[in-house]
Amino acid sequence: MLSKEENQRVTRVGPGTPMGETLRRYWMPALLAWELPAPDCPPVRLRLLGEDLVAFRATDGTIGLLEEFCPHRGASLWLGRNEENGLRCVYHGWKFDVSGQCVDQMNEPEPFCSKICAVAYGTIELGGVIWVYMGPADKQPPPPNFDWTRVPETHRSVSKGMQECNWLQALEGGIDTSHFTIMHRVLKKNSSHGGIPVDSAGVRGGPPTLELDITDYGYAYYGIRPLEDTQYARGYHYVMPYTQLRPPDLEEEQVHGHYWVPVDDENCMAWNFYYSYGEEPILDQARRNTASGNAYGSHVDVENGFRSIGNRSNDWGIDRDIQNTETFTGIDGVNQQDRAVQESMGPIVDRSREHLGPADKAIIATRKLLLEAIETVESGGDPRGTGASYHEVRAVGRILPTGADWRKELLPAMYPETGGVSP
Amino acid sequence: MLSKEENQRVTRVGPGTPMGETLRRYWMPALLAWELPAPDCPPVRLRLLGEDLVAFRATDGTIGLLEEFCPHRGASLWLGRNEENGLRCVYHGWKFDVSGQCVDQMNEPEPFCSKICAVAYGTIELGGVIWVYMGPADKQPPPPNFDWTRVPETHRSVSKGMQECNWLQALEGGIDTSHFTIMHRVLKKNSSHGGIPVDSAGVRGGPPTLELDITDYGYAYYGIRPLEDTQYARGYHYVMPYTQLRPPDLEEEQVHGHYWVPVDDENCMAWNFYYSYGEEPILDQARRNTASGNAYGSHVDVENGFRSIGNRSNDWGIDRDIQNTETFTGIDGVNQQDRAVQESMGPIVDRSREHLGPADKAIIATRKLLLEAIETVESGGDPRGTGASYHEVRAVGRILPTGADWRKELLPAMYPETGGVSP
Amino acid sequence: MLSKEENQRVTRVGPGTPMGETLRRYWMPALLAWELPAPDCPPVRLRLLGEDLVAFRATDGTIGLLEEFCPHRGASLWLGRNEENGLRCVYHGWKFDVSGQCVDQMNEPEPFCSKICAVAYGTIELGGVIWVYMGPADKQPPPPNFDWTRVPETHRSVSKGMQECNWLQALEGGIDTSHFTIMHRVLKKNSSHGGIPVDSAGVRGGPPTLELDITDYGYAYYGIRPLEDTQYARGYHYVMPYTQLRPPDLEEEQVHGHYWVPVDDENCMAWNFYYSYGEEPILDQARRNTASGNAYGSHVDVENGFRSIGNRSNDWGIDRDIQNTETFTGIDGVNQQDRAVQESMGPIVDRSREHLGPADKAIIATRKLLLEAIETVESGGDPRGTGASYHEVRAVGRILPTGADWRKELLPAMYPETGGVSP
């Protein structure tokens, strides 16, 4: 439970808000690289932290990410022409380079370009994603070299989908390991509907015991489920401010993960990735599953701003017959199930009416860290997760003998570079 | 005319508002019983007095009516599973019985159910309708045993349709007998369009003289129209806070009526009923007319929250050619005509700009009674209409000799249990 | 650049706002005459300066323009019956004549019509347009006898289209001559897409030098472009508060023009006209071009409130391939291109973030005159443009020898009645 004031403080993301200023201290996933497929391709609109932006790939391949509206008279630069290393406003032909500098003014007999700059944010391309930093220049952290961004393209998959609720609701749904084997459960053997089969390890295990280690990038957390003769131990990471790494269902050399990036106060972009850090590439079948949303992917309308096809307006496609007999929710696809409950709470849920329990330990810790980060930023410091220690971490799951010291088994695989020492 | 402050006071219905608290002292029609057709059927969403609710029929057939959002983390219980005498949230498997008591928590190794309660409201099924009481427990009035709820199913018909304006606008349109023979007039003999034929008794009579008797349930009111050699006397009831009983067009043993139940400040549900208190059941033809909206029924899209098919977005289907030659409005169906004018006034009409006359006597009386009821509730009393005296009342119409004492003729039929004595 | 306060002051148009009161001192185009084609035809809804209105043509052909909502109980008079010299509300049959006087009350046995008046505004029909005056009666200016309203019907063309942004944004786009040869440019010879061909005089000329003469009706302004051996001089008029007269592309005896009439704070109606003041009528071809929006016309959905078919919801139909190869914007039609950039700025652009230059001279002058007019009205005076001197003015374009005194050449044609003397 949060007070109404704390809830306001931790959810709002616009310029000048406490959380907004804190979020601006991190690199954020902005676009899939293929959304700007080639030099001089059409510009792309996006909204991040409540700011309207336009992105373009210049003739030399570099990325520009500018405020959407032309500094001259406010026309949308998204209508603009991307040509010869700059984005040109169609209204009066003012042109801006990737740094935001005005370099041409077609309507002025005596141009005064050097005096005009558009707001521009720094970008970097990593792992097929264009990342942006929207904070103060002197506070820019090292590049977001997550482990998955460094594997070959054949070994990773990235997708995204719009979610119509506040980012914290989505994040809290993602780190909430306790709902996983309940909500995503498939009731019937061989069902064609996505979810966690009744006979899978996780579902068999019942509610997990949670443990949590605070780190300098956020925390690691563990869900331990006793099985018949064994125990199922899963280790996750929460990387500040909105990233989760989660283990695969089986003991594969894979990690799955999400970013829940604030679009504005009432919308977020749910990013999905998974990758193989072993020799095996990701199989085509798995890649297709991701795309179809049967696993961790999503059913999204790419042409329509990556909006989910199942959404509030169509009740997320709930089918009561399927809910009766095949899946716990009657909603198709794991991601869509998550979106459904998270969006069903309303745009920004009132956390002053909650009743949390021990199973919500990770959620409580997240809120504490976020509120702590706001205070750190307000007092001039650098919040957790702005270093580089998260670059090497991995999420893992193991089925272990009952009574085994799961921490001893999991940590070396979760922190491979330091031999299991958590930062 | 009301001041802007009075208009605000008498129209707003949310929790804590003066009118909202007053309306919470009455039983309200919430759902048609067939919307929850069987035990363990899918739950149904609804909104009443600005509160989002979810209803379900438990395994034992009883009705639960809970706040929509799960007390745990706020997911919509409408997505839930209705199973084994309780509604289970799909997010973490918390389950609530019809009293709102939490009875299971799938995500907690050590459940603490007994400490968790969802807001639940008391319900009752009468006349094929599920009624709800949302007020303080110690103030609950006797069940809403309207006369029509006690006749056999063959002798009654109930329907409903969403109306996109404040409930008071709809109520004022309903009790406004003076518009009836004007707006609903059919101009052409044998027109296929619904309304009051030009040669019907009511239309022949011209504007009525209105009289009104205040009672302990609201008021009875009378519209008297002089005909050629006779007079046409019609006796209605207004039962606090939003019910009307009206006589049939002819001297049948029938009563028609409406409830205009506030959904929120800007929407209401218009309930329609009619019944036969004689030996004759309601004819199938009449039932069909009700369904098609040609009489008192409505054209509604049941799958879409009972929204009217003719609505503001399509100008209520107005046809100017039909308006020129066949009906006064060019809009099809009596209920749709009412909805059209009432919705055309905007979501909440500004009553400080009105110009009322003697023909608006019933409307003026209604507002006085509603404002009086607010004061009664504020000073700790029980407002009119929370007793049982309205249970036996009926509406009647009679064609009488000119000069006959219409009150003497109407009252015994309007108060059959007390031999014509008004409470 | 304006301060946020000035921007608020100069853009808002509702009753009681500074700009709203000022705009109410002028005749405004309200409807195309053909929207009320015949006596007793159906009434028409419209919104002007934030007020909801209804217009009707009475049996005697005169025009009534009333507040939309019946003074009785607030039902929309647009649902009403236009019959026997009055508009009758369908709710209770109250009827109003073109002066707003109530002349019948069907629901009252003893009518009190003489005490009831609806708000009514004075109208006049000129040039196929119904004009309205919504200001104080004693301040009504002479009729808006623009030159074009006095030519034969064969010599003029008038159309209109809704624009979904504040009127000042549209006006500023219209008087902004510097964007014309940039944004509307056609890149490819013989393109079928509307705009200014690359080889036209204007486009060849590059950015114009602007000059501006303040007058008692607003200002005249001039764009001078040096060509190879000649100069291209174009003379425009801005007539207070939202009218522009512009010269044709070639040296024809024609004038084009616009009115950008405020519907409310966030919408305006863009009126387009052009006419021939010579002997030649307007050709059918030209008229068709206007209608199709390839020239100065518009692509509008007449049945849907003259809404533009290309609008924000469909990105104004931008085609990036066409933008690459054929037209500067990839948007079809000159008017649609204007709408696109103006609407892309948002409903009311924040002028405190602008960076204006010499090419924005006309825009700066317009704002000054509008702010001056507000002060004039506030101090009890008559603002510019409420006289009659604009009735005789024309816009002209001439290709002149380099070094010629363009002012001497243009003025006699721009002020034909006074032999070139500007008022």
Side-chain angles (χ1 to χ4, degrees):
Chain A
M1 199 185 110
L2 294 179
S3 70
K4 281 183 190 293
E5 293 66 33
E6 287 168 327
N7 197 33
Q8 170 94 12
R9 188 169 165 86
V10 80
T11 53
R12 276 23 173 227
V13 300
T17 59
M19 192 75 239
E21 291 306 299
T22 303
L23 290 167
R24 279 167 176 77
R25 299 290 295 277
Y26 299 87
W27 284 97
M28 294 188 294
L31 293 172
L32 289 157
W34 60 254
E35 294 181 73
L36 292 174
D40 296 338
C41 64
V44 168
R45 274 176 298 205
L46 69 161
R47 178 177 267 208
L48 282 174
L49 303 178
E51 297 186 38
D52 291 311
L53 305 169
V54 62
F56 65 104
R57 191 181 293 274
T59 313
D60 63 8
T62 56
I63 303 292
L65 192 59
L66 311 181
E67 57 179 330
E68 183 185 345
F69 301 105
C70 181
H72 176 215
R73 296 258 306 281
S76 173
L77 292 171
W78 177 78
L79 295 172
R81 303 175 62 82
N82 183 12
E83 51 185 26
E84 291 167 46
N85 280 322
L87 185 62
R88 189 185 290 282
C89 181
V90 292
Y91 203 176
H92 300 89
W94 288 25
K95 183 174 165 180
F96 301 89
D97 69 17
V98 297
S99 77
Q101 180 61 51
C102 183
V103 295
D104 194 19
Q105 292 172 307
M106 287 173 73
N107 70 324
E108 289 288 354
E110 297 175 33
F112 48 98
C113 306
S114 65
K115 295 184 186 163
I116 305 293
C117 253
V119 173
Y121 295 117
T123 62
I124 192 169
E125 264 186 273
L126 283 175
V129 169
I130 298 165
W131 307 73
V132 61
Y133 175 71
M134 293 170 67
D138 61 331
K139 299 288 191 182
Q140 183 174 310
N145 286 311
F146 285 89
D147 193 35
W148 71 265
T149 64
R150 298 183 313 247
V151 301
E153 206 178 338
T154 50
H155 284 56
R156 56 176 154 84
S157 168
V158 193
S159 64
K160 67 176 187 176
M162 183 68 84
Q163 193 161 323
E164 292 167 30
C165 66
N166 183 267
W167 66 285
L168 185 56
Q169 236 149 289
L171 167 62
E172 290 180 351
I175 57 177
D176 168 40
T177 184
S178 88
H179 82 272
F180 199 73
T181 57
I182 298 167
M183 182 166 88
H184 300 309
R185 188 173 294 187
V186 175
L187 307 174
K188 186 179 159 186
K189 278 203 181 184
N190 305 319
S191 169
S192 62
H193 297 282
I196 314 301
V198 280
D199 55 355
S200 70
V203 170
R204 274 183 292 149
T209 302
L210 292 185
E211 298 215 15
L212 199 144
D213 298 338
I214 301 292
T215 66
D216 75 355
Y217 58 79
Y219 57 75
Y221 63 116
Y222 311 92
I224 314 301
R225 287 181 171 83
L227 302 187
E228 220 166 304
D229 310 311
T230 53
Q231 56 180 331
Y232 186 31
R234 291 168 62 83
Y236 303 74
H237 298 280
Y238 164 62
V239 180
M240 296 275 290
Y242 39 56
T243 306
Q244 182 203 36
L245 307 188
R246 59 171 68 178
D249 283 347
L250 305 175
E251 296 178 315
E252 298 162 307
E253 293 183 308
Q254 286 192 2
V255 178
H256 299 231
H258 297 281
Y259 302 83
W260 292 277
V261 180
V263 169
D264 51 30
D265 287 346
E266 302 195 348
N267 295 277
C268 65
M269 190 62 84
W271 289 77
N272 320 293
F273 65 85
Y274 77 110
Y275 73 110
S276 160
Y277 53 84
E279 292 200 3
E280 282 296 307
I282 288 172
L283 297 178
D284 279 355
Q285 180 57 41
R287 202 181 283 274
R288 269 201 298 279
N289 276 347
T290 299
S292 72
N294 280 327
Y296 298 92
S298 48
H299 298 87
V300 299
D301 180 356
V302 171
E303 300 300 311
N304 183 19
F306 291 83
R307 192 187 187 197
S308 176
I309 288 159
N311 54 55
R312 171 182 297 279
S313 75
N314 57 17
D315 292 330
W316 307 277
I318 191 170
D319 182 316
R320 296 291 189 179
D321 289 333
I322 290 172
Q323 186 177 28
N324 268 338
T325 56
E326 297 205 36
T327 67
F328 202 72
T329 58
I331 293 167
D332 220 21
V334 165
N335 278 13
Q336 196 146 270
Q337 292 160 8
D338 282 322
R339 263 197 302 273
V341 293
Q342 292 158 18
E343 294 180 355
S344 84
M345 298 155 88
I348 306 180
V349 73
D350 179 358
R351 290 179 176 76
S352 73
R353 302 192 54 190
E354 292 174 334
H355 295 82
L356 302 183
D360 300 301
K361 191 183 277 185
I363 286 160
I364 294 165
T366 307
R367 296 176 188 175
K368 271 196 190 146
L369 289 185
L370 289 171
L371 289 166
E372 178 205 76
I374 289 174
E375 279 178 37
T376 304
V377 168
E378 285 178 341
S379 59
D382 296 327
R384 286 176 208 267
T386 50
S389 63
Y390 66 84
H391 293 179
E392 310 295 343
V393 306
R394 288 179 187 155
V396 297
R398 295 279 186 274
I399 294 181
L400 304 172
T402 299
D405 180 349
W406 52 263
R407 202 178 285 266
K408 195 168 152 194
E409 302 288 332
L410 293 184
L411 261 67
M414 291 175 71
Y415 300 103
E417 294 295 307
T418 59
V421 179
S422 147
Chain B
M1 200 185 111
L2 294 180
S3 70
K4 281 184 190 290
E5 292 69 31
E6 287 167 327
N7 197 34
Q8 169 95 11
R9 188 169 166 85
V10 81
T11 52
R12 277 20 175 229
V13 301
T17 60
M19 193 75 239
E21 291 306 298
T22 303
L23 291 167
R24 280 167 175 77
R25 298 291 296 277
Y26 299 87
W27 285 97
M28 295 188 294
L31 292 173
L32 290 157
W34 60 253
E35 293 181 73
L36 292 173
D40 297 337
C41 64
V44 169
R45 273 176 299 205
L46 68 162
R47 176 177 268 208
L48 282 173
L49 302 178
E51 297 185 37
D52 291 312
L53 305 170
V54 62
F56 66 104
R57 191 182 293 274
T59 313
D60 63 8
T62 57
I63 303 292
L65 193 59
L66 310 182
E67 56 180 329
E68 183 185 345
F69 302 105
C70 181
H72 176 215
R73 296 257 306 280
S76 174
L77 292 170
W78 177 78
L79 294 173
R81 303 175 60 83
N82 183 12
E83 51 185 27
E84 291 168 45
N85 281 322
L87 186 62
R88 190 186 290 282
C89 181
V90 293
Y91 203 175
H92 299 88
W94 288 24
K95 183 174 166 182
F96 301 90
D97 69 17
V98 297
S99 77
Q101 180 61 51
C102 184
V103 294
D104 194 19
Q105 290 173 308
M106 288 173 72
N107 69 323
E108 289 288 354
E110 298 175 33
F112 48 98
C113 305
S114 65
K115 295 184 184 161
I116 304 293
C117 253
V119 173
Y121 294 117
T123 62
I124 192 169
E125 263 185 274
L126 284 176
V129 169
I130 297 166
W131 306 73
V132 61
Y133 175 72
M134 294 170 67
D138 61 331
K139 298 290 191 180
Q140 183 173 310
N145 286 310
F146 284 90
D147 194 35
W148 71 266
T149 65
R150 298 183 314 246
V151 301
E153 207 178 336
T154 51
H155 284 57
R156 55 178 157 82
S157 168
V158 193
S159 65
K160 67 176 188 177
M162 184 66 85
Q163 192 162 323
E164 292 167 30
C165 67
N166 183 266
W167 66 287
L168 186 56
Q169 237 149 287
L171 167 62
E172 290 180 349
I175 57 177
D176 169 41
T177 184
S178 88
H179 81 271
F180 200 73
T181 57
I182 298 167
M183 183 166 87
H184 300 309
R185 189 174 291 187
V186 175
L187 307 173
K188 186 178 160 188
K189 278 202 181 185
N190 305 319
S191 168
S192 63
H193 297 282
I196 315 301
V198 280
D199 55 355
S200 71
V203 171
R204 276 182 292 148
T209 302
L210 292 185
E211 296 215 15
L212 198 143
D213 298 338
I214 302 291
T215 68
D216 74 356
Y217 58 80
Y219 58 74
Y221 64 116
Y222 312 93
I224 315 300
R225 288 181 170 83
L227 303 187
E228 219 164 308
D229 312 312
T230 54
Q231 56 179 331
Y232 185 32
R234 293 167 61 82
Y236 303 74
H237 298 280
Y238 163 62
V239 180
M240 295 276 289
Y242 41 54
T243 307
Q244 182 203 39
L245 307 188
R246 57 172 68 179
D249 282 348
L250 305 174
E251 295 178 315
E252 297 163 308
E253 293 183 308
Q254 287 192 2
V255 178
H256 298 231
H258 296 281
Y259 302 83
W260 291 278
V261 180
V263 169
D264 51 29
D265 287 347
E266 303 195 347
N267 295 278
C268 65
M269 189 61 85
W271 288 77
N272 321 292
F273 66 86
Y274 77 110
Y275 74 110
S276 160
Y277 53 83
E279 293 200 359
E280 281 297 306
I282 287 173
L283 297 178
D284 279 357
Q285 180 57 43
R287 204 181 282 274
R288 268 201 298 280
N289 275 347
T290 300
S292 74
N294 279 327
Y296 298 93
S298 48
H299 298 89
V300 299
D301 180 357
V302 171
E303 300 301 312
N304 183 19
F306 290 84
R307 192 186 187 197
S308 176
I309 289 159
N311 54 54
R312 172 182 297 277
S313 75
N314 56 18
D315 292 330
W316 306 278
I318 192 170
D319 182 317
R320 296 292 188 179
D321 289 333
I322 291 172
Q323 186 176 30
N324 269 339
T325 57
E326 297 206 36
T327 68
F328 202 72
T329 57
I331 293 166
D332 220 20
V334 165
N335 278 14
Q336 196 145 273
Q337 291 160 9
D338 282 322
R339 263 197 302 273
V341 292
Q342 292 157 18
E343 293 179 354
S344 83
M345 299 154 85
I348 306 180
V349 72
D350 179 359
R351 289 177 176 77
S352 73
R353 302 192 55 190
E354 292 175 334
H355 294 82
L356 302 183
D360 299 301
K361 192 184 277 184
I363 286 160
I364 294 165
T366 306
R367 296 176 187 176
K368 272 196 190 146
L369 289 185
L370 290 170
L371 289 167
E372 179 205 77
I374 289 174
E375 279 179 36
T376 302
V377 168
E378 285 178 340
S379 59
D382 297 325
R384 287 176 208 268
T386 50
S389 63
Y390 66 84
H391 292 177
E392 310 295 342
V393 306
R394 288 177 186 155
V396 296
R398 296 279 185 273
I399 294 182
L400 303 172
T402 301
D405 180 349
W406 52 262
R407 202 179 284 265
K408 196 168 151 195
E409 300 289 334
L410 293 185
L411 262 66
M414 291 176 71
Y415 299 103
E417 295 294 306
T418 58
V421 179
S422 146
Chain C
M1 200 186 112
L2 295 180
S3 69
K4 281 183 189 293
E5 293 67 32
E6 287 168 326
N7 197 34
Q8 169 95 9
R9 188 170 165 85
V10 81
T11 53
R12 279 15 176 231
V13 300
T17 59
M19 193 74 239
E21 291 306 298
T22 303
L23 290 167
R24 280 167 176 77
R25 300 291 295 277
Y26 299 87
W27 284 98
M28 294 188 294
L31 293 172
L32 289 157
W34 60 254
E35 294 181 74
L36 293 173
D40 297 337
C41 64
V44 168
R45 274 175 298 205
L46 69 162
R47 177 177 268 208
L48 282 174
L49 302 178
E51 297 186 37
D52 290 312
L53 305 169
V54 60
F56 66 104
R57 191 181 293 275
T59 313
D60 64 9
T62 57
I63 303 292
L65 193 59
L66 310 182
E67 56 179 331
E68 182 184 345
F69 301 105
C70 181
H72 176 215
R73 295 257 306 281
S76 173
L77 292 170
W78 177 77
L79 295 173
R81 302 175 61 84
N82 184 12
E83 51 186 26
E84 292 167 44
N85 280 322
L87 186 61
R88 190 185 289 282
C89 181
V90 293
Y91 203 176
H92 300 89
W94 289 24
K95 182 173 167 181
F96 301 89
D97 69 16
V98 296
S99 78
Q101 180 60 52
C102 183
V103 295
D104 195 18
Q105 291 172 308
M106 287 174 72
N107 69 325
E108 289 287 353
E110 297 176 33
F112 49 98
C113 305
S114 66
K115 294 184 186 162
I116 305 294
C117 253
V119 172
Y121 294 117
T123 62
I124 192 169
E125 263 185 274
L126 284 176
V129 169
I130 298 166
W131 306 73
V132 61
Y133 175 71
M134 294 171 67
D138 61 332
K139 299 289 192 183
Q140 183 173 310
N145 286 309
F146 285 89
D147 194 35
W148 70 267
T149 65
R150 299 184 313 248
V151 301
E153 204 177 339
T154 50
H155 284 57
R156 56 177 156 84
S157 168
V158 193
S159 65
K160 68 176 187 177
M162 184 68 84
Q163 193 162 324
E164 293 168 29
C165 67
N166 183 266
W167 66 286
L168 185 56
Q169 235 148 291
L171 167 62
E172 289 181 351
I175 58 177
D176 168 41
T177 186
S178 88
H179 82 272
F180 200 74
T181 58
I182 298 168
M183 181 165 87
H184 300 310
R185 189 173 292 187
V186 175
L187 307 173
K188 184 178 161 187
K189 279 202 182 186
N190 305 320
S191 168
S192 62
H193 298 282
I196 314 301
V198 281
D199 55 354
S200 70
V203 171
R204 276 182 291 149
T209 301
L210 293 185
E211 297 216 13
L212 198 143
D213 298 337
I214 302 292
T215 68
D216 74 356
Y217 57 80
Y219 58 74
Y221 64 114
Y222 312 92
I224 314 301
R225 287 182 170 83
L227 302 187
E228 219 165 305
D229 312 311
T230 54
Q231 56 180 331
Y232 186 30
R234 292 168 61 81
Y236 303 73
H237 298 280
Y238 164 61
V239 180
M240 296 274 290
Y242 39 56
T243 307
Q244 182 203 38
L245 307 188
R246 60 170 68 179
D249 282 348
L250 305 175
E251 296 177 316
E252 297 162 308
E253 294 183 307
Q254 287 191 3
V255 178
H256 299 230
H258 297 281
Y259 302 83
W260 292 278
V261 180
V263 168
D264 52 29
D265 286 347
E266 302 196 348
N267 295 278
C268 66
M269 189 63 83
W271 288 77
N272 320 293
F273 66 85
Y274 77 109
Y275 74 110
S276 160
Y277 53 83
E279 292 200 1
E280 281 295 308
I282 287 172
L283 297 178
D284 280 355
Q285 181 57 42
R287 203 182 283 274
R288 269 201 297 278
N289 275 347
T290 299
S292 73
N294 280 327
Y296 298 92
S298 47
H299 298 87
V300 299
D301 180 356
V302 171
E303 301 300 312
N304 183 19
F306 291 83
R307 192 187 187 196
S308 177
I309 289 159
N311 54 56
R312 171 182 296 279
S313 74
N314 57 18
D315 292 329
W316 307 277
I318 192 170
D319 182 317
R320 297 291 188 178
D321 288 332
I322 291 172
Q323 186 176 28
N324 268 340
T325 56
E326 296 206 37
T327 68
F328 202 72
T329 57
I331 294 167
D332 219 20
V334 166
N335 279 13
Q336 196 146 272
Q337 291 160 8
D338 283 321
R339 264 197 302 273
V341 292
Q342 292 158 19
E343 293 180 355
S344 85
M345 299 154 86
I348 306 180
V349 73
D350 179 358
R351 290 177 177 77
S352 73
R353 303 191 54 189
E354 292 174 334
H355 295 82
L356 303 183
D360 301 300
K361 191 184 277 185
I363 286 160
I364 294 165
T366 307
R367 297 176 187 176
K368 271 194 189 150
L369 289 184
L370 290 170
L371 289 166
E372 178 205 77
I374 290 174
E375 278 179 35
T376 303
V377 168
E378 284 178 341
S379 60
D382 297 326
R384 287 176 209 267
T386 50
S389 64
Y390 66 84
H391 292 178
E392 311 294 342
V393 306
R394 287 178 187 154
V396 296
R398 294 279 186 274
I399 294 181
L400 304 172
T402 300
D405 180 350
W406 51 263
R407 201 177 286 266
K408 195 168 152 194
E409 300 289 333
L410 293 184
L411 261 66
M414 291 176 71
Y415 299 103
E417 294 295 307
T418 59
V421 179
S422 147

